[in-house]
Amino acid sequence: MTGRGEPPDGPPENPPGGEDEYRSLVFDESFVRAARLQEFSAQERMGEPARAVRSVRNVSGPGTRRRSRAAVALVVLITLAFATAVYIGFRNPYRAPAVRHAEPLRTTVVPLAPRGAVPGGTPEDLFATGPAASHRSGAAGISLPPVRRTENFSNSQVTAALSTVKDYLVASSVDPDVLTGRMVRPVGRLLDPDQTAQFDRSVSTPADDGEHAATGWLVRFDPADTELADTDVRVEGSLSYAETGSDTLEVVSDHTFTYALRPAAPGPHRADDASLFTVRRELHFVVDREDLRLHRLEVRSAYVQAGPQSCSAEDAGSLRPLLAGERTDSRGPDGTDPYATGLPRAELCGTLAVSSPPQGPPPPGPDAATSPGNRP
């Protein structure tokens, strides 16, 4: 519309110049009805960059039904997978490995009595002319055998087991602090935890009961009576091994240890007051895979022969050597009462065939001449 004009239905009811001074601003009903209204869409109101709103499909259409079937199939598959996993878990043909516990150590300690007075001399002369003249010193005398893998253990695992046994033998038979009773920790730290309590009781309150003799675990002399005349320990023996199960190796050690001892007396010592003392130890060890990982072992049994000692020597806590010039007493092994209650005791004693520099070729080591039936 341009300029002023008449409404479509004729002039307004109020003539010009009337009292209605706002006539130019009021639209009557016919004008409003005749006006053309236009409403912009949402996209037009948002401008050109706006994207059109996607129309909502019918929720009950075929697409919805397809998605519902897929969701149900997925739930069924997850349920079947979970049920299968549970079933296989209960029907697993591979049994979990059984937890193995170490057995208590069984010990036998046999004193070896000399045939006469114990000869004395300097450590150098005694070692040079005695049976241990050809034996090597200390850890060098404990050599590992040729190593071959077993069915279930590799070369490195067999070597690790033998090395752990060697460490135990050195700690329990060669270490001067252990020999003189000052320390026991180097031995205890190599033991299976299941044997720790038995070991602690054996060294604190030893008993000759076949289970709690400290001298079954280690070589120890009473520092109040004996001291080392020389820290050089002569060693000769062998190691062997065998697989006894898919998880265990058994190692057997058989070594002879020769020590130079003298009386623990105050003041200076004579150069020729030393004497030799010999200990033969046959030990059976068990090493499993956990022991290999933690560098430890289980001592299953210990058979020990030691002399010169008297047959009546109480050697459960420490060995009681006869030193230079001493003789054994005339007392033999005590009798055993088969009617006595409690843990049975077997009184054993042997004769030390060689305790001094021999006149002829030396035998390979101590020889225990026990009476029939004494050695188990």
Side-chain angles (χ1 to χ4, degrees):
M1 294 181 298
T2 60
R4 290 189 176 186
E6 297 296 332
D9 295 336
E13 296 180 357
N14 294 329
E19 298 179 356
D20 190 359
E21 60 185 74
Y22 300 102
R23 171 177 178 276
S24 61
L25 302 177
V26 176
F27 302 100
D28 60 6
E29 181 179 359
S30 62
F31 183 86
V32 172
R33 286 198 302 269
R36 185 171 62 88
L37 300 179
Q38 181 179 1
E39 181 180 2
F40 292 100
S41 67
Q43 181 176 357
E44 291 172 338
R45 289 196 300 271
M46 294 175 64
E48 286 298 330
R51 300 176 61 184
V53 179
R54 182 173 58 88
S55 60
V56 179
R57 297 182 180 180
N58 187 359
V59 296
S60 59
T64 303
R65 288 193 293 272
R66 286 195 296 270
R67 288 193 298 272
S68 299
R69 294 193 193 99
V72 171
L74 180 61
V75 171
V76 171
L77 287 175
I78 293 175
T79 303
L80 288 175
F82 180 76
T84 303
V86 172
Y87 175 79
I88 293 176
F90 282 111
R91 301 281 295 182
N92 186 6
Y94 303 102
R95 296 182 179 179
V99 178
R100 194 186 68 84
H101 295 284
E103 299 179 8
L105 169 66
R106 301 293 300 176
T107 63
T108 302
V109 181
V110 181
L112 303 179
R115 294 175 176 172
V118 177
T122 64
E124 295 77 9
D125 292 340
L126 294 173
F127 279 134
T129 57
S134 60
H135 295 180
R136 303 176 73 181
S137 298
I142 306 173
S143 57
L144 303 186
V147 174
R148 295 181 179 177
R149 64 166 295 121
T150 65
E151 182 178 354
N152 295 288
F153 290 89
S154 65
N155 287 3
S156 60
Q157 290 174 321
V158 173
T159 301
L162 293 172
S163 299
T164 304
V165 170
K166 178 175 179 176
D167 291 344
Y168 181 89
L169 293 174
V170 172
S172 63
S173 308
V174 178
D175 189 334
D177 289 330
V178 174
L179 297 177
T180 55
R182 291 193 294 265
M183 294 181 64
V184 296
R185 177 60 183 165
V187 180
R189 67 181 177 84
L190 294 172
L191 294 174
D192 189 289
D194 291 339
Q195 293 188 315
T196 301
Q198 183 189 9
F199 174 76
D200 292 341
R201 178 180 170 185
S202 298
V203 297
S204 60
T205 56
D208 187 16
D209 59 2
E211 291 187 355
H212 298 98
T215 48
W217 301 95
L218 47 83
V219 177
R220 183 167 68 174
F221 305 105
D222 189 347
D225 301 327
T226 308
E227 66 180 32
L228 296 174
D230 193 335
T231 57
D232 182 18
V233 179
R234 300 299 177 92
V235 186
E236 177 73 7
S238 63
L239 285 172
S240 61
Y241 66 92
E243 181 179 309
T244 55
S246 60
D247 194 49
T248 56
L249 284 171
E250 182 181 45
V251 181
V252 178
S253 68
D254 187 359
H255 290 83
T256 299
F257 302 87
T258 306
Y259 308 89
L261 306 177
R262 64 187 175 193
H269 295 275
R270 300 196 318 269
D272 59 350
D273 62 354
S275 59
L276 297 184
F277 187 84
T278 307
V279 179
R280 175 118 175 234
R281 306 182 75 197
E282 182 180 328
L283 306 177
H284 289 242
F285 303 92
V286 175
V287 182
D288 60 22
R289 298 185 186 277
E290 186 72 3
D291 295 333
L292 288 175
R293 186 177 68 85
L294 298 175
H295 192 64
R296 68 189 190 192
L297 45 75
E298 170 192 347
V299 190
R300 182 66 58 84
S301 65
Y303 185 85
V304 180
Q305 299 172 328
Q309 293 188 100
S310 294
C311 290
S312 58
E314 296 291 337
D315 53 8
S318 59
L319 299 172
R320 306 288 181 178
L322 293 173
L323 302 175
E326 296 181 338
R327 296 175 178 270
T328 183
D329 55 30
S330 57
R331 177 185 169 188
D334 293 335
T336 300
D337 182 5
Y339 297 99
T341 58
L343 189 66
R345 296 178 54 185
E347 296 289 348
L348 303 177
C349 188
T351 300
L352 183 62
V354 178
S355 59
S356 61
Q359 301 299 323
D367 180 19
T370 57
S371 58
N374 275 349
R375 178 167 179 174

